[in-house]
PDB file of all heavy atoms in Angstrom:
ATOM      1  N   ALA F  61      51.293  94.158  96.220  1.00  0.00           N
ATOM      2  CA  ALA F  61      52.439  93.671  97.116  1.00  0.00           C
ATOM      3  C   ALA F  61      52.914  94.892  98.017  1.00  0.00           C
ATOM      4  O   ALA F  61      53.788  94.652  98.814  1.00  0.00           O
ATOM      5  CB  ALA F  61      53.614  93.071  96.490  1.00  0.00           C
ATOM      6  N   LEU F  62      52.392  96.053  97.731  1.00  0.00           N
ATOM      7  CA  LEU F  62      52.936  97.285  98.431  1.00  0.00           C
ATOM      8  C   LEU F  62      51.732  97.974  99.217  1.00  0.00           C
ATOM      9  O   LEU F  62      50.638  98.072  98.567  1.00  0.00           O
ATOM     10  CB  LEU F  62      53.560  98.272  97.478  1.00  0.00           C
ATOM     11  CG  LEU F  62      54.739  97.743  96.706  1.00  0.00           C
ATOM     12  CD1 LEU F  62      55.174  98.708  95.631  1.00  0.00           C
ATOM     13  CD2 LEU F  62      56.025  97.483  97.573  1.00  0.00           C
ATOM     14  N   ILE F  63      52.014  98.382 100.443  1.00  0.00           N
ATOM     15  CA  ILE F  63      50.933  99.070 101.146  1.00  0.00           C
ATOM     16  C   ILE F  63      50.633 100.373 100.509  1.00  0.00           C
ATOM     17  O   ILE F  63      49.645 100.976 100.675  1.00  0.00           O
ATOM     18  CB  ILE F  63      51.423  99.276 102.568  1.00  0.00           C
ATOM     19  CG1 ILE F  63      52.681 100.069 102.745  1.00  0.00           C
ATOM     20  CG2 ILE F  63      51.480  97.813 103.226  1.00  0.00           C
ATOM     21  CD1 ILE F  63      52.908 100.274 104.221  1.00  0.00           C
ATOM     22  N   THR F  64      51.573 100.878  99.745  1.00  0.00           N
ATOM     23  CA  THR F  64      51.355 102.180  99.051  1.00  0.00           C
ATOM     24  C   THR F  64      50.707 101.879  97.685  1.00  0.00           C
ATOM     25  O   THR F  64      50.264 103.006  97.006  1.00  0.00           O
ATOM     26  CB  THR F  64      52.634 103.042  98.804  1.00  0.00           C
ATOM     27  OG1 THR F  64      53.579 102.198  98.107  1.00  0.00           O
ATOM     28  CG2 THR F  64      53.255 103.390 100.176  1.00  0.00           C
ATOM     29  N   GLY F  65      50.644 100.679  97.220  1.00  0.00           N
ATOM     30  CA  GLY F  65      50.140 100.463  95.870  1.00  0.00           C
ATOM     31  C   GLY F  65      48.612 100.183  95.768  1.00  0.00           C
ATOM     32  O   GLY F  65      48.063 100.395  94.722  1.00  0.00           O
ATOM     33  N   ASP F  66      48.032  99.731  96.872  1.00  0.00           N
ATOM     34  CA  ASP F  66      46.598  99.452  96.857  1.00  0.00           C
ATOM     35  C   ASP F  66      46.059  99.615  98.210  1.00  0.00           C
ATOM     36  O   ASP F  66      46.647  99.268  99.245  1.00  0.00           O
ATOM     37  CB  ASP F  66      46.420  97.910  96.462  1.00  0.00           C
ATOM     38  CG  ASP F  66      44.958  97.676  96.017  1.00  0.00           C
ATOM     39  OD1 ASP F  66      44.099  97.590  96.946  1.00  0.00           O
ATOM     40  OD2 ASP F  66      44.683  97.545  94.775  1.00  0.00           O
ATOM     41  N   VAL F  67      44.918 100.303  98.247  1.00  0.00           N
ATOM     42  CA  VAL F  67      44.219 100.701  99.504  1.00  0.00           C
ATOM     43  C   VAL F  67      43.893  99.345 100.352  1.00  0.00           C
ATOM     44  O   VAL F  67      44.031  99.329 101.509  1.00  0.00           O
ATOM     45  CB  VAL F  67      43.020 101.541  99.305  1.00  0.00           C
ATOM     46  CG1 VAL F  67      42.251 101.790 100.588  1.00  0.00           C
ATOM     47  CG2 VAL F  67      43.396 102.801  98.631  1.00  0.00           C
ATOM     48  N   THR F  68      43.362  98.338  99.576  1.00  0.00           N
ATOM     49  CA  THR F  68      42.952  97.163 100.293  1.00  0.00           C
ATOM     50  C   THR F  68      44.186  96.450 100.969  1.00  0.00           C
ATOM     51  O   THR F  68      44.088  95.876 102.020  1.00  0.00           O
ATOM     52  CB  THR F  68      42.275  96.119  99.332  1.00  0.00           C
ATOM     53  OG1 THR F  68      43.013  95.888  98.183  1.00  0.00           O
ATOM     54  CG2 THR F  68      40.886  96.830  98.906  1.00  0.00           C
ATOM     55  N   THR F  69      45.370  96.476 100.245  1.00  0.00           N
ATOM     56  CA  THR F  69      46.596  95.901 100.795  1.00  0.00           C
ATOM     57  C   THR F  69      46.968  96.593 102.110  1.00  0.00           C
ATOM     58  O   THR F  69      47.341  96.012 103.103  1.00  0.00           O
ATOM     59  CB  THR F  69      47.710  96.034  99.823  1.00  0.00           C
ATOM     60  OG1 THR F  69      47.368  95.294  98.698  1.00  0.00           O
ATOM     61  CG2 THR F  69      48.968  95.370 100.397  1.00  0.00           C
ATOM     62  N   LEU F  70      46.907  97.928 102.028  1.00  0.00           N
ATOM     63  CA  LEU F  70      47.125  98.683 103.247  1.00  0.00           C
ATOM     64  C   LEU F  70      46.172  98.418 104.458  1.00  0.00           C
ATOM     65  O   LEU F  70      46.594  98.339 105.647  1.00  0.00           O
ATOM     66  CB  LEU F  70      47.063 100.262 102.941  1.00  0.00           C
ATOM     67  CG  LEU F  70      47.339 101.240 104.088  1.00  0.00           C
ATOM     68  CD1 LEU F  70      48.688 101.024 104.644  1.00  0.00           C
ATOM     69  CD2 LEU F  70      46.977 102.662 103.549  1.00  0.00           C
ATOM     70  N   MET F  71      44.862  98.270 104.126  1.00  0.00           N
ATOM     71  CA  MET F  71      43.893  97.946 105.087  1.00  0.00           C
ATOM     72  C   MET F  71      44.161  96.662 105.838  1.00  0.00           C
ATOM     73  O   MET F  71      44.123  96.425 107.034  1.00  0.00           O
ATOM     74  CB  MET F  71      42.482  97.911 104.499  1.00  0.00           C
ATOM     75  CG  MET F  71      41.985  99.244 103.957  1.00  0.00           C
ATOM     76  SD  MET F  71      40.463  99.124 102.944  1.00  0.00           S
ATOM     77  CE  MET F  71      39.365  98.442 104.175  1.00  0.00           C
ATOM     78  N   ILE F  72      44.545  95.657 105.073  1.00  0.00           N
ATOM     79  CA  ILE F  72      44.846  94.301 105.583  1.00  0.00           C
ATOM     80  C   ILE F  72      46.132  94.305 106.475  1.00  0.00           C
ATOM     81  O   ILE F  72      46.221  93.686 107.438  1.00  0.00           O
ATOM     82  CB  ILE F  72      44.958  93.186 104.375  1.00  0.00           C
ATOM     83  CG1 ILE F  72      43.557  93.136 103.779  1.00  0.00           C
ATOM     84  CG2 ILE F  72      45.411  91.872 104.974  1.00  0.00           C
ATOM     85  CD1 ILE F  72      43.531  92.262 102.451  1.00  0.00           C
ATOM     86  N   PHE F  73      47.000  95.131 105.938  1.00  0.00           N
ATOM     87  CA  PHE F  73      48.310  95.221 106.716  1.00  0.00           C
ATOM     88  C   PHE F  73      48.066  96.023 108.061  1.00  0.00           C
ATOM     89  O   PHE F  73      48.497  95.644 109.094  1.00  0.00           O
ATOM     90  CB  PHE F  73      49.370  96.025 105.913  1.00  0.00           C
ATOM     91  CG  PHE F  73      50.497  96.544 106.646  1.00  0.00           C
ATOM     92  CD1 PHE F  73      51.544  95.617 107.018  1.00  0.00           C
ATOM     93  CD2 PHE F  73      50.606  97.863 107.044  1.00  0.00           C
ATOM     94  CE1 PHE F  73      52.645  96.014 107.769  1.00  0.00           C
ATOM     95  CE2 PHE F  73      51.699  98.231 107.733  1.00  0.00           C
ATOM     96  CZ  PHE F  73      52.784  97.442 108.083  1.00  0.00           C
ATOM     97  N   LEU F  74      47.291  97.040 108.028  1.00  0.00           N
ATOM     98  CA  LEU F  74      46.968  97.829 109.310  1.00  0.00           C
ATOM     99  C   LEU F  74      46.196  97.063 110.212  1.00  0.00           C
ATOM    100  O   LEU F  74      46.199  97.387 111.488  1.00  0.00           O
ATOM    101  CB  LEU F  74      46.324  99.183 108.886  1.00  0.00           C
ATOM    102  CG  LEU F  74      47.115 100.184 108.147  1.00  0.00           C
ATOM    103  CD1 LEU F  74      46.162 101.366 107.811  1.00  0.00           C
ATOM    104  CD2 LEU F  74      48.305 100.626 108.899  1.00  0.00           C
ATOM    105  N   ALA F  75      45.481  96.037 109.730  1.00  0.00           N
ATOM    106  CA  ALA F  75      44.714  95.178 110.649  1.00  0.00           C
ATOM    107  C   ALA F  75      45.533  94.048 111.277  1.00  0.00           C
ATOM    108  O   ALA F  75      45.017  93.092 111.943  1.00  0.00           O
ATOM    109  CB  ALA F  75      43.512  94.528 109.857  1.00  0.00           C
ATOM    110  N   ASP F  76      46.865  94.150 111.082  1.00  0.00           N
ATOM    111  CA  ASP F  76      47.827  93.175 111.522  1.00  0.00           C
ATOM    112  C   ASP F  76      47.578  91.717 110.998  1.00  0.00           C
ATOM    113  O   ASP F  76      47.854  90.809 111.815  1.00  0.00           O
ATOM    114  CB  ASP F  76      47.798  93.217 113.079  1.00  0.00           C
ATOM    115  CG  ASP F  76      48.325  94.521 113.576  1.00  0.00           C
ATOM    116  OD1 ASP F  76      49.273  95.118 113.029  1.00  0.00           O
ATOM    117  OD2 ASP F  76      47.867  94.925 114.647  1.00  0.00           O
ATOM    118  N   LYS F  77      47.086  91.611 109.827  1.00  0.00           N
ATOM    119  CA  LYS F  77      46.838  90.238 109.322  1.00  0.00           C
ATOM    120  C   LYS F  77      48.048  89.751 108.516  1.00  0.00           C
ATOM    121  O   LYS F  77      48.204  88.570 108.413  1.00  0.00           O
ATOM    122  CB  LYS F  77      45.650  90.297 108.372  1.00  0.00           C
ATOM    123  CG  LYS F  77      44.352  90.881 109.006  1.00  0.00           C
ATOM    124  CD  LYS F  77      43.909  89.934 110.309  1.00  0.00           C
ATOM    125  CE  LYS F  77      42.576  90.465 110.759  1.00  0.00           C
ATOM    126  NZ  LYS F  77      42.240  89.736 112.042  1.00  0.00           N
ATOM    127  N   VAL F  78      48.872  90.667 108.040  1.00  0.00           N
ATOM    128  CA  VAL F  78      50.069  90.335 107.246  1.00  0.00           C
ATOM    129  C   VAL F  78      51.237  91.322 107.684  1.00  0.00           C
ATOM    130  O   VAL F  78      50.928  92.366 108.146  1.00  0.00           O
ATOM    131  CB  VAL F  78      49.830  90.339 105.760  1.00  0.00           C
ATOM    132  CG1 VAL F  78      48.867  89.305 105.276  1.00  0.00           C
ATOM    133  CG2 VAL F  78      49.261  91.751 105.326  1.00  0.00           C
ATOM    134  N   GLU F  79      52.505  90.850 107.372  1.00  0.00           N
ATOM    135  CA  GLU F  79      53.651  91.713 107.606  1.00  0.00           C
ATOM    136  C   GLU F  79      54.159  92.164 106.193  1.00  0.00           C
ATOM    137  O   GLU F  79      53.734  91.641 105.145  1.00  0.00           O
ATOM    138  CB  GLU F  79      54.753  90.918 108.337  1.00  0.00           C
ATOM    139  CG  GLU F  79      54.267  90.506 109.674  1.00  0.00           C
ATOM    140  CD  GLU F  79      54.007  91.498 110.702  1.00  0.00           C
ATOM    141  OE1 GLU F  79      54.540  92.640 110.402  1.00  0.00           O
ATOM    142  OE2 GLU F  79      53.287  91.294 111.663  1.00  0.00           O
ATOM    143  N   ILE F  80      55.050  93.242 106.394  1.00  0.00           N
ATOM    144  CA  ILE F  80      55.552  93.768 105.094  1.00  0.00           C
ATOM    145  C   ILE F  80      56.383  92.708 104.269  1.00  0.00           C
ATOM    146  O   ILE F  80      56.105  92.554 103.063  1.00  0.00           O
ATOM    147  CB  ILE F  80      56.574  94.970 105.351  1.00  0.00           C
ATOM    148  CG1 ILE F  80      55.754  96.126 105.928  1.00  0.00           C
ATOM    149  CG2 ILE F  80      57.296  95.281 104.172  1.00  0.00           C
ATOM    150  CD1 ILE F  80      54.896  96.834 104.903  1.00  0.00           C
ATOM    151  N   VAL F  81      57.116  91.859 104.948  1.00  0.00           N
ATOM    152  CA  VAL F  81      57.911  90.851 104.337  1.00  0.00           C
ATOM    153  C   VAL F  81      56.984  89.914 103.558  1.00  0.00           C
ATOM    154  O   VAL F  81      57.239  89.421 102.434  1.00  0.00           O
ATOM    155  CB  VAL F  81      58.821  90.090 105.271  1.00  0.00           C
ATOM    156  CG1 VAL F  81      59.541  89.008 104.551  1.00  0.00           C
ATOM    157  CG2 VAL F  81      59.791  91.060 105.851  1.00  0.00           C
ATOM    158  N   ASP F  82      55.818  89.529 104.271  1.00  0.00           N
ATOM    159  CA  ASP F  82      54.899  88.546 103.644  1.00  0.00           C
ATOM    160  C   ASP F  82      54.295  89.129 102.381  1.00  0.00           C
ATOM    161  O   ASP F  82      54.097  88.485 101.366  1.00  0.00           O
ATOM    162  CB  ASP F  82      53.758  88.200 104.715  1.00  0.00           C
ATOM    163  CG  ASP F  82      54.338  87.615 105.909  1.00  0.00           C
ATOM    164  OD1 ASP F  82      55.215  86.739 105.775  1.00  0.00           O
ATOM    165  OD2 ASP F  82      53.890  87.938 107.015  1.00  0.00           O
ATOM    166  N   LEU F  83      53.969  90.495 102.503  1.00  0.00           N
ATOM    167  CA  LEU F  83      53.322  91.169 101.325  1.00  0.00           C
ATOM    168  C   LEU F  83      54.339  91.205 100.116  1.00  0.00           C
ATOM    169  O   LEU F  83      53.817  91.007  98.984  1.00  0.00           O
ATOM    170  CB  LEU F  83      52.902  92.506 101.786  1.00  0.00           C
ATOM    171  CG  LEU F  83      51.653  92.714 102.637  1.00  0.00           C
ATOM    172  CD1 LEU F  83      51.450  94.117 103.038  1.00  0.00           C
ATOM    173  CD2 LEU F  83      50.450  92.217 101.886  1.00  0.00           C
ATOM    174  N   LEU F  84      55.592  91.388 100.358  1.00  0.00           N
ATOM    175  CA  LEU F  84      56.451  91.506  99.260  1.00  0.00           C
ATOM    176  C   LEU F  84      56.521  90.259  98.481  1.00  0.00           C
ATOM    177  O   LEU F  84      56.929  90.238  97.216  1.00  0.00           O
ATOM    178  CB  LEU F  84      57.866  91.865  99.842  1.00  0.00           C
ATOM    179  CG  LEU F  84      58.062  93.264 100.363  1.00  0.00           C
ATOM    180  CD1 LEU F  84      59.461  93.406 100.902  1.00  0.00           C
ATOM    181  CD2 LEU F  84      57.804  94.280  99.288  1.00  0.00           C
ATOM    182  N   MET F  85      56.206  89.082  99.163  1.00  0.00           N
ATOM    183  CA  MET F  85      56.213  87.798  98.404  1.00  0.00           C
ATOM    184  C   MET F  85      55.112  87.870  97.321  1.00  0.00           C
ATOM    185  O   MET F  85      55.164  87.169  96.349  1.00  0.00           O
ATOM    186  CB  MET F  85      55.908  86.702  99.442  1.00  0.00           C
ATOM    187  CG  MET F  85      56.987  86.316 100.397  1.00  0.00           C
ATOM    188  SD  MET F  85      56.631  84.808 101.208  1.00  0.00           S
ATOM    189  CE  MET F  85      54.971  85.098 101.840  1.00  0.00           C
ATOM    190  N   LEU F  86      54.088  88.602  97.534  1.00  0.00           N
ATOM    191  CA  LEU F  86      52.930  88.603  96.581  1.00  0.00           C
ATOM    192  C   LEU F  86      53.432  89.158  95.218  1.00  0.00           C
ATOM    193  O   LEU F  86      52.724  88.833  94.170  1.00  0.00           O
ATOM    194  CB  LEU F  86      51.879  89.545  97.150  1.00  0.00           C
ATOM    195  CG  LEU F  86      50.768  88.935  98.057  1.00  0.00           C
ATOM    196  CD1 LEU F  86      49.748  90.050  98.455  1.00  0.00           C
ATOM    197  CD2 LEU F  86      49.961  87.897  97.266  1.00  0.00           C
ATOM    198  N   SER F  87      54.511  89.863  95.093  1.00  0.00           N
ATOM    199  CA  SER F  87      54.954  90.414  93.759  1.00  0.00           C
ATOM    200  C   SER F  87      55.317  89.238  92.861  1.00  0.00           C
ATOM    201  O   SER F  87      55.164  89.382  91.646  1.00  0.00           O
ATOM    202  CB  SER F  87      56.104  91.364  94.036  1.00  0.00           C
ATOM    203  OG  SER F  87      57.247  90.611  94.556  1.00  0.00           O
ATOM    204  N   VAL F  88      55.711  88.191  93.436  1.00  0.00           N
ATOM    205  CA  VAL F  88      56.157  86.969  92.527  1.00  0.00           C
ATOM    206  C   VAL F  88      54.956  86.352  91.874  1.00  0.00           C
ATOM    207  O   VAL F  88      54.890  86.333  90.673  1.00  0.00           O
ATOM    208  CB  VAL F  88      56.922  85.965  93.390  1.00  0.00           C
ATOM    209  CG1 VAL F  88      57.327  84.762  92.481  1.00  0.00           C
ATOM    210  CG2 VAL F  88      58.207  86.599  93.909  1.00  0.00           C
ATOM    211  N   PRO F  89      53.918  85.889  92.625  1.00  0.00           N
ATOM    212  CA  PRO F  89      52.757  85.286  91.971  1.00  0.00           C
ATOM    213  C   PRO F  89      51.959  86.317  91.223  1.00  0.00           C
ATOM    214  O   PRO F  89      51.381  86.007  90.149  1.00  0.00           O
ATOM    215  CB  PRO F  89      51.968  84.738  93.150  1.00  0.00           C
ATOM    216  CG  PRO F  89      52.326  85.437  94.407  1.00  0.00           C
ATOM    217  CD  PRO F  89      53.841  85.671  94.136  1.00  0.00           C
ATOM    218  N   ALA F  90      52.002  87.573  91.618  1.00  0.00           N
ATOM    219  CA  ALA F  90      51.233  88.631  90.813  1.00  0.00           C
ATOM    220  C   ALA F  90      51.910  88.879  89.488  1.00  0.00           C
ATOM    221  O   ALA F  90      51.213  88.953  88.474  1.00  0.00           O
ATOM    222  CB  ALA F  90      51.165  89.840  91.656  1.00  0.00           C
ATOM    223  N   ALA F  91      53.181  88.921  89.457  1.00  0.00           N
ATOM    224  CA  ALA F  91      53.922  89.100  88.180  1.00  0.00           C
ATOM    225  C   ALA F  91      53.768  87.895  87.265  1.00  0.00           C
ATOM    226  O   ALA F  91      53.635  87.999  86.076  1.00  0.00           O
ATOM    227  CB  ALA F  91      55.440  89.384  88.550  1.00  0.00           C
ATOM    228  N   CYS F  92      53.772  86.674  87.978  1.00  0.00           N
ATOM    229  CA  CYS F  92      53.633  85.412  87.123  1.00  0.00           C
ATOM    230  C   CYS F  92      52.152  85.455  86.528  1.00  0.00           C
ATOM    231  O   CYS F  92      52.002  84.930  85.440  1.00  0.00           O
ATOM    232  CB  CYS F  92      53.782  84.203  88.075  1.00  0.00           C
ATOM    233  SG  CYS F  92      55.496  83.969  88.505  1.00  0.00           S
ATOM    234  N   ALA F  93      51.253  85.948  87.244  1.00  0.00           N
ATOM    235  CA  ALA F  93      49.811  85.874  86.700  1.00  0.00           C
ATOM    236  C   ALA F  93      49.826  86.934  85.480  1.00  0.00           C
ATOM    237  O   ALA F  93      49.127  86.597  84.426  1.00  0.00           O
ATOM    238  CB  ALA F  93      48.833  86.379  87.816  1.00  0.00           C
ATOM    239  N   VAL F  94      50.504  88.034  85.532  1.00  0.00           N
ATOM    240  CA  VAL F  94      50.531  88.993  84.457  1.00  0.00           C
ATOM    241  C   VAL F  94      51.235  88.358  83.298  1.00  0.00           C
ATOM    242  O   VAL F  94      50.784  88.438  82.139  1.00  0.00           O
ATOM    243  CB  VAL F  94      51.287  90.269  84.820  1.00  0.00           C
ATOM    244  CG1 VAL F  94      51.512  91.167  83.627  1.00  0.00           C
ATOM    245  CG2 VAL F  94      50.487  91.048  85.909  1.00  0.00           C
ATOM    246  N   ALA F  95      52.330  87.534  83.575  1.00  0.00           N
ATOM    247  CA  ALA F  95      52.993  86.864  82.388  1.00  0.00           C
ATOM    248  C   ALA F  95      52.146  85.796  81.769  1.00  0.00           C
ATOM    249  O   ALA F  95      52.078  85.629  80.506  1.00  0.00           O
ATOM    250  CB  ALA F  95      54.279  86.228  82.979  1.00  0.00           C
ATOM    251  N   VAL F  96      51.311  85.052  82.589  1.00  0.00           N
ATOM    252  CA  VAL F  96      50.386  84.131  82.039  1.00  0.00           C
ATOM    253  C   VAL F  96      49.391  84.751  81.118  1.00  0.00           C
ATOM    254  O   VAL F  96      49.091  84.281  80.015  1.00  0.00           O
ATOM    255  CB  VAL F  96      49.670  83.320  83.086  1.00  0.00           C
ATOM    256  CG1 VAL F  96      48.476  82.518  82.637  1.00  0.00           C
ATOM    257  CG2 VAL F  96      50.628  82.497  83.923  1.00  0.00           C
ATOM    258  N   LEU F  97      48.860  85.923  81.575  1.00  0.00           N
ATOM    259  CA  LEU F  97      47.805  86.492  80.741  1.00  0.00           C
ATOM    260  C   LEU F  97      48.488  87.172  79.478  1.00  0.00           C
ATOM    261  O   LEU F  97      47.936  87.011  78.321  1.00  0.00           O
ATOM    262  CB  LEU F  97      47.221  87.743  81.548  1.00  0.00           C
ATOM    263  CG  LEU F  97      46.136  88.608  80.665  1.00  0.00           C
ATOM    264  CD1 LEU F  97      45.045  87.676  80.321  1.00  0.00           C
ATOM    265  CD2 LEU F  97      45.673  89.679  81.551  1.00  0.00           C
ATOM    266  N   ALA F  98      49.740  87.720  79.569  1.00  0.00           N
ATOM    267  CA  ALA F  98      50.437  88.204  78.347  1.00  0.00           C
ATOM    268  C   ALA F  98      50.642  87.060  77.330  1.00  0.00           C
ATOM    269  O   ALA F  98      50.390  87.249  76.098  1.00  0.00           O
ATOM    270  CB  ALA F  98      51.781  88.740  78.774  1.00  0.00           C
TER     271      ALA F  98
END
């Protein structure tokens, strides 16, 4: 969910495919996926 956290996230952001606010939403489903695995 952070452009500093993953190179591919930064690449997609720099290509103007997503905005920072949109990316921050990813933290919710990503955290939920971790909880499911746990």
Side-chain angles (χ1 to χ4, degrees):
L62 298 173
I63 58 175
T64 56
D66 194 286
V67 176
T68 54
T69 301
L70 177 61
M71 292 169 64
I72 295 173
F73 168 75
L74 292 177
D76 294 324
K77 304 301 182 182
V78 293
E79 300 293 336
I80 292 291
V81 176
D82 300 319
L83 285 175
L84 291 177
M85 293 191 307
L86 269 178
S87 59
V88 176
C92 291
V94 173
V96 168
L97 181 60

